[in-house]
Amino acid sequence: MSFRLDVNTGLYDLVNPAAERIFGWPLDQIRATPFFIFKTTHPDDVDWVRVAATKALSSGDLPKELEVVHAVRADGAELYVQQKARVVRDQDGYVTHVEGVVRDVSDLVRPRRELELVLERLPGLAVRLDDDLAVVWANQEWLDLLGLRLGQVVRQDGPALMASGEGVDELRRLLAGLGSEGQAASQTVLTPPALGVQRVIQWRHVGLPTAQGRRGVLSLGMDITNHVKVQEDLAQTSRELARVVSLLDRAPVMASRSRWTRNNRLEVEYVNRGCETLLGYSPEEIMADPGLTRRILPDPWYQHYYQTAARFLAGAKPGDSITTEYGFVRKDGSQGWARHTAWVVSAEGEALEVEAFIHDVTPLHQAQETLRQMAAGMAHNFNNLMAAVLSNTQAVQTILAERRWDPEQVGELLANVIESARSGGQLVQRLAAWTNAGPAPLDDSEPVVDAAQEARRAVRIASQAWRPAGGAGVELVLELAAPLWVRANQGALLEVFLNLVKNALEAMPGGGVLRVRGREKDGLVTISFHDQGPGMDPETAARAFEPFFSTKRGSGLGLPSSRGILRALGGDLRLETGPGQGCEAVVELLRAQPPPLAAPPPTPRAGTTGDRVLLVEDESLVALGIQSQLTTAGYQVRWARDLAEGLAGLTDYRPQVVICDLGLPDGSGWEVALAADRLRPSPAFLLLTGWTRDLLPPEVRLGSARLDDILYKPVERGRLLEALARALGRGEEPDGV
């Protein structure tokens, strides 16, 4: 229909016969009716159409909302017409006529209106925006949430009604970048005036082409403020929402939809392309082969999966969900772990509609297994060291209780305790370094140690800590004459040798000979531990280095842990054994150049009656030990048990030096350092900590306060007295650590 309308009379100067076909009115009656468009406008829209048309005629600008109008034919049938018009002005610039064309677009608009009716019946929120993100339509549930009518929101800024605060611009950017048929999700917070409380809305957005080919947006939302209500509503609407906006084929995980009968029959209805990444099988392969599940899930995981699913589905109802993990086999034969989350969408008779997401959690399981083995190995080695400390200390107690004083024997037992404590401290430092940055590669930073000397120490400590269960004696034969220099952490090497000696002693409950040999050939140092136990058959020997495998009552971590330490040092551990032949554990390490002769350590400066030390330490056993060492060296010591006592001691004791623990029950020892730095003259300051250097807090740094040295627990007496003497001799200005 083409027309020319006189705005003064409201009558058509020109209208072609197509108007009669579109509206069903006689052509002469159309020409004779002023402002005929208002007569045919649907009663629900006539008011706003009149207002919009009046504004358009006065301004000369035809608004976009008048392009499509809901109309009624003469016979009462409803239709939608699209207008394309322009204004005509006289020589004075006044609008005199409107001319344009009108066409019936009912076939294009009705599907959209029907979709709006479907969305209106869905539980949840629904909003449709045009290509400028203005509201075209909204369902009643969203209007009720805002406390507004549809006429109040149509043509308003959609993002401003769907979000608040900074979320408005974020949502606008998200929707503006959403292409035709694109999909996105967002979460916004609203405070509807009608409610006066915040509501959290979860949105799903899908780009839609409009009738004119431009992009529009359909947004479906759910008020998730009440979690229980969200679960109920999602269970009711998941199938409808999936048909409107589906991200399954683009998801980085495997997604599926299945029909599961109560008699445990599974029919896969849909699988996304995520299965190719997870399993190596295409969706077509999975859909075409019902028996494929049996190959993907080997026993016992096949039985685990179906038994778990059967128990859940036997009493499941829409909205119920379950998460389980299981092992699987990929198409290429490699193994992995999956986390399977499934939920019941609907129940029809004896069948359940089930949707699921399946994530690949293989790296997580591998990391957990590595951490489990590392933690168990550390605990195993630490317990060995503690056993050595306990047994040697109790032996000294026995000697003292029986009053049979033997200085040489007591000195040897206490030396064992000291070596074990040193190794324990190094073990903790290696664990802290591992958690901070992972295992360090072998380089020139590792010290050069005598492997023969460490083997002798291990034999001496272990022979006191572990004895054959039957009480029989074990003859120790040591062939370790020459120094055997290797590059290794002393504590780590001692741990390995303790493990191997302990295994050998436990293998000979009836007594026997333990022969320890050391030799160097072709740049390789070997230390072997040969026992006269029963030996191992080939099957047992093949599994000896498996974590947690043991033929006796133990953790099964001694050999795997020892091999791991040696390989980190560039060496290895192997076994030579057979039934009735005993077992020989052979340690191999690369030979290192002998270390240069070290200068003798300086003689610790003895304290004088004027050397006052403030010791701030909350651990009583640690404090008493340090206090005893300093007192016997001639220093006057005041012990402060926490931060408050330490700060008080700075002013009323006026120490020449402060030894302060970093971690205190009521604050940080660094607060004591800052307070001490403000005194004049400032006392020397030694920081005491159980952390490694890499794990110190960032505020603990040179230059921010006087810091003469950092003492890492456990601190040996010589190191303590040397640091104290240097700090006192330095005066007020420290030269750094």
Side-chain angles (χ1 to χ4, degrees):
M1 163 186 164
S2 59
F3 68 91
R4 179 181 174 88
L5 177 70
D6 187 328
V7 299
N8 294 314
T9 64
L11 299 176
Y12 289 113
D13 292 347
L14 172 68
V15 61
N16 69 347
E20 187 173 345
R21 176 177 53 79
I22 293 174
F23 294 104
W25 291 78
L27 190 60
D28 57 351
Q29 192 170 351
I30 293 175
R31 290 172 174 160
T33 304
F35 295 105
F36 174 75
I37 188 64
F38 296 148
K39 186 176 184 65
T40 60
T41 300
H42 192 279
D44 292 345
D45 295 347
V46 67
D47 290 340
W48 73 262
V49 170
R50 284 182 183 274
V51 173
T54 301
K55 291 180 179 179
L57 293 177
S58 62
S59 66
D61 296 324
L62 295 179
K64 184 187 300 183
E65 56 263 30
L66 287 177
E67 285 188 4
V68 178
V69 177
H70 190 187
V72 181
R73 287 172 50 87
D75 58 7
E78 296 183 12
L79 73 159
Y80 295 90
V81 294
Q82 182 185 38
Q83 303 181 91
K84 292 291 185 179
R86 67 182 185 87
V87 298
V88 179
R89 303 175 186 270
D90 61 16
Q91 61 183 7
D92 296 324
Y94 293 103
V95 177
T96 60
H97 292 81
V98 176
E99 57 185 27
V101 295
V102 176
R103 67 188 183 106
D104 185 351
V105 293
S106 300
D107 291 341
L108 297 175
V109 176
R110 280 198 181 99
R112 186 184 69 194
R113 300 299 187 189
E114 291 172 359
L115 174 61
E116 291 173 355
L117 291 175
V118 171
L119 294 173
E120 187 68 63
R121 292 193 293 268
L122 289 177
L125 314 176
V127 184
R128 192 167 67 83
L129 310 178
D130 64 14
D131 54 318
D132 292 326
L133 303 183
V135 177
V136 176
W137 172 88
N139 71 343
Q140 192 60 45
E141 186 166 341
W142 190 58
L143 296 173
D144 291 342
L145 179 67
L146 297 181
L148 300 173
R149 299 188 307 275
L150 181 61
Q152 294 175 289
V153 300
V154 169
R155 297 175 298 281
Q156 299 299 313
D157 182 25
L161 293 171
M162 298 165 65
S164 60
E166 296 179 356
V168 175
D169 290 337
E170 293 179 4
L171 181 60
R172 194 187 314 281
R173 287 192 294 270
L174 175 69
L175 299 182
L178 192 65
S180 178
E181 301 183 8
Q183 302 168 3
S186 66
Q187 183 172 299
T188 62
V189 178
L190 291 175
T191 306
L195 299 178
V197 294
Q198 284 190 341
R199 310 300 294 178
V200 180
I201 310 298
Q202 184 72 45
W203 293 101
R204 295 290 185 271
H205 314 282
V206 59
L208 297 174
T210 65
Q212 293 77 33
R214 291 193 296 269
R215 176 182 55 77
V217 177
L218 174 63
S219 297
L220 301 175
M222 188 66 62
D223 184 345
I224 61 173
T225 309
N226 186 328
H227 183 67
V228 175
K229 182 177 182 299
V230 170
Q231 288 185 325
E232 295 173 352
D233 292 345
L234 285 177
Q236 297 173 13
T237 62
S238 60
R239 293 186 67 182
E240 290 81 0
L241 291 177
R243 292 171 183 170
V244 177
V245 53
S246 173
L247 299 174
L248 295 180
D249 271 333
R250 304 180 188 184
V253 298
M254 179 175 170
S256 68
R257 184 168 59 245
S258 308
R259 184 179 178 83
W260 198 306
T261 61
R262 299 287 185 178
N263 59 3
N264 296 334
R265 182 180 177 183
L266 177 66
E267 299 174 0
V268 180
E269 298 176 342
Y270 169 81
V271 180
N272 75 334
R273 291 288 173 186
C275 63
E276 295 176 333
T277 302
L278 181 68
L279 304 174
Y281 293 98
S282 68
E284 294 76 17
E285 289 177 295
I286 294 177
M287 299 283 288
D289 187 356
L292 192 59
T293 304
R294 192 67 181 86
R295 298 197 295 274
I296 294 173
L297 298 178
D299 285 330
W301 296 116
Y302 181 83
Q303 297 298 329
H304 165 78
Y305 173 74
Y306 272 92
Q307 290 173 5
T308 302
R311 285 195 300 269
F312 166 68
L313 295 171
K317 59 184 181 298
D320 290 347
S321 63
I322 186 174
T323 298
T324 184
E325 293 187 3
Y326 49 78
F328 66 89
V329 177
R330 300 183 180 89
K331 187 177 183 178
D332 61 6
S334 61
Q335 297 182 352
W337 279 85
R339 177 176 296 149
H340 190 129
T341 300
W343 59 94
V344 179
V345 177
S346 63
E348 300 174 3
E350 291 299 311
L352 300 173
E353 197 78 13
V354 180
E355 295 178 353
F357 283 129
I358 306 171
H359 300 257
D360 187 351
V361 293
T362 305
L364 176 62
H365 270 258
Q366 292 172 340
Q368 289 174 337
E369 179 62 20
T370 299
L371 182 61
R372 184 172 74 101
Q373 293 184 18
M374 184 187 73
M378 289 290 185
H380 173 274
N381 293 339
F382 198 77
N383 284 336
N384 280 348
L385 295 172
M386 291 301 99
V389 170
L390 183 63
S391 60
N392 282 273
T393 305
Q394 289 177 334
V396 172
Q397 286 182 321
T398 301
I399 292 174
L400 296 176
E402 296 177 355
R403 300 181 182 276
R404 49 182 181 86
W405 181 252
D406 184 340
E408 182 178 351
Q409 183 182 11
V410 170
E412 183 177 314
L413 292 172
L414 291 178
N416 293 344
V417 173
I418 293 172
E419 292 295 337
S420 300
R422 285 174 179 160
S423 296
Q426 293 173 357
L427 175 64
V428 172
Q429 290 176 0
R430 292 202 309 277
L431 177 59
W434 178 290
T435 57
N436 189 48
L442 181 67
D443 55 29
D444 290 342
S445 63
E446 291 286 3
V448 175
V449 299
D450 182 2
Q453 180 178 342
E454 297 307 314
R456 283 191 289 269
R457 286 178 177 171
V459 171
R460 185 182 73 244
I461 294 172
S463 62
Q464 296 290 337
W466 298 285
R467 299 183 183 276
V474 172
E475 181 182 354
L476 303 174
V477 178
L478 305 183
E479 301 175 6
L480 300 163
L484 298 172
W485 301 108
V486 297
R487 194 172 292 282
N489 179 282
Q490 182 181 11
L493 197 59
L494 183 61
E495 285 175 38
V496 171
F497 291 160
L498 280 174
N499 275 328
L500 300 181
V501 175
K502 177 176 178 286
N503 286 348
L505 295 176
E506 291 177 345
M508 298 182 290
V513 177
L514 171 59
R515 188 178 301 274
V516 182
R517 290 195 187 96
R519 56 186 178 273
E520 182 269 319
K521 183 178 181 181
D522 298 330
L524 192 68
V525 170
T526 61
I527 305 288
S528 63
F529 300 81
H530 191 183
D531 64 60
Q532 292 182 335
M536 305 181 200
D537 56 45
E539 293 77 13
T540 302
R543 300 188 61 192
F545 291 105
E546 290 183 14
F548 307 107
F549 174 77
S550 178
T551 58
K552 58 185 186 295
R553 295 180 61 184
S555 64
L557 287 164
L559 290 176
S561 173
S562 297
R563 173 181 270 184
I565 291 173
L566 291 172
R567 286 183 171 177
L569 296 173
D572 206 351
L573 173 64
R574 56 184 172 84
L575 300 179
E576 297 178 2
T577 184
Q581 301 176 14
C583 180
E584 185 173 17
V586 182
V587 173
E588 297 177 339
L589 287 167
L590 295 176
R591 180 180 63 84
Q593 293 297 323
L597 294 177
T603 303
R605 171 182 178 271
T608 68
T609 55
D611 292 334
R612 297 183 303 279
V613 178
L614 175 63
L615 173 62
V616 187
E617 170 61 66
D618 61 303
E619 292 291 342
S620 300
L621 294 179
V622 175
L624 291 174
I626 294 178
Q627 186 177 32
S628 176
Q629 292 179 6
L630 296 179
T631 302
T632 56
Y635 293 97
Q636 300 181 38
V637 182
R638 174 186 283 192
W639 174 26
R641 293 166 175 79
D642 53 32
L643 175 62
E645 290 187 11
L647 293 174
L650 287 175
T651 57
D652 60 24
Y653 187 57
R654 302 297 292 181
Q656 271 91 15
V657 63
V658 178
I659 303 176
C660 183
D661 188 22
L662 178 60
L664 298 172
D666 53 345
S668 170
W670 195 243
E671 296 182 47
V672 180
L674 297 176
D677 189 55
R678 290 192 292 268
L679 297 177
R680 289 297 178 268
S682 63
F685 195 91
L686 304 179
L687 187 66
L688 187 65
T689 180
W691 297 104
T692 62
R693 183 182 301 273
D694 293 337
L695 296 179
L696 289 176
E699 65 268 17
V700 179
R701 62 187 187 278
L702 296 174
S704 58
R706 175 168 183 175
L707 178 58
D708 292 82
D709 209 338
I710 301 177
L711 304 176
Y712 297 97
K713 299 177 183 178
V715 186
E716 295 194 41
R717 184 176 186 273
R719 169 81 174 101
L720 173 65
L721 297 180
E722 178 186 347
L724 189 59
R726 281 206 314 267
L728 285 170
R730 193 173 287 146
E732 187 172 343
E733 295 298 329
D735 59 6
V737 181

